[in-house]
Amino acid sequence: RARGYRVKGYDIADLVTSEYGVGLILDNHVNRPAYIKPCLEKALDQTGLKRPQNWGTAAERRLIKAYLKIRETHGRYPMTHAARRAAVTKKYLDNGTISDERGSFQYNL
C-alpha cells in the first residue's frame, strides 16, 4: 500500500487479491519492478474495470488476463520470458497449490 504504487488511485492490494495474482505481481517485481504500475494501468484501461471494492473473482480474472498479455510486450525491454514465467505460476494454480479466487491471498497488516 505504498503511494508510489497506486494504480489509477487504487492500491495494488485492492486490485489483486488472489494468491495467483499476487504471485504474478511478485514475479514481475523480481524481473521488472518498474513495469508493474504501467502494466496494471493499461490492463484497467483495456478492461474498463473500476471500483475494485465491488469486484468478484471474474473481474479480477479479467484484469489478470489483460495484465499478462501486456507484460509480455510492455516497455523498451519487456519482461524476460514473461509468458514462460506466467506458465510456471499457472502450474501452481492448475494443481491446486494456489487459488485465483478473489481474496484468497491473506496477509498481516
Side-chain angles (χ1 to χ4, degrees):
R1 296 191 183 275
R3 284 188 185 191
Y5 269 90
R6 289 183 63 87
V7 177
K8 295 192 173 278
Y10 303 112
D11 289 325
I12 292 173
D14 295 330
L15 298 174
V16 180
T17 68
S18 67
E19 293 169 325
Y20 176 57
V22 170
L24 293 167
I25 297 294
L26 177 60
D27 176 48
N28 200 150
H29 180 72
V30 168
N31 191 263
R32 293 284 190 273
Y35 288 7
I36 295 169
K37 184 176 174 178
C39 287
L40 285 172
E41 287 173 344
K42 287 181 180 181
L44 282 173
D45 288 343
Q46 284 184 12
T47 60
L49 291 165
K50 296 183 182 351
R51 295 181 294 282
Q53 65 273 18
N54 298 327
W55 294 359
T57 297
E60 185 169 322
R61 285 176 181 157
R62 282 180 43 215
L63 179 74
I64 294 297
K65 182 178 179 180
Y67 159 77
L68 285 173
K69 292 303 288 177
I70 292 162
R71 78 180 198 168
E72 289 180 17
T73 60
H74 176 78
R76 184 172 181 179
Y77 301 103
M79 185 174 175
T80 306
H81 308 299
R84 280 193 283 174
R85 296 169 75 96
V88 170
T89 304
K90 181 123 180 7
K91 284 182 192 178
Y92 292 103
L93 176 65
D94 292 343
N95 75 17
T97 302
I98 61 174
S99 172
D100 67 349
E101 293 294 319
R102 188 143 174 88
S104 59
F105 181 75
Q106 299 296 309
Y107 59 95
N108 294 324
L109 294 176

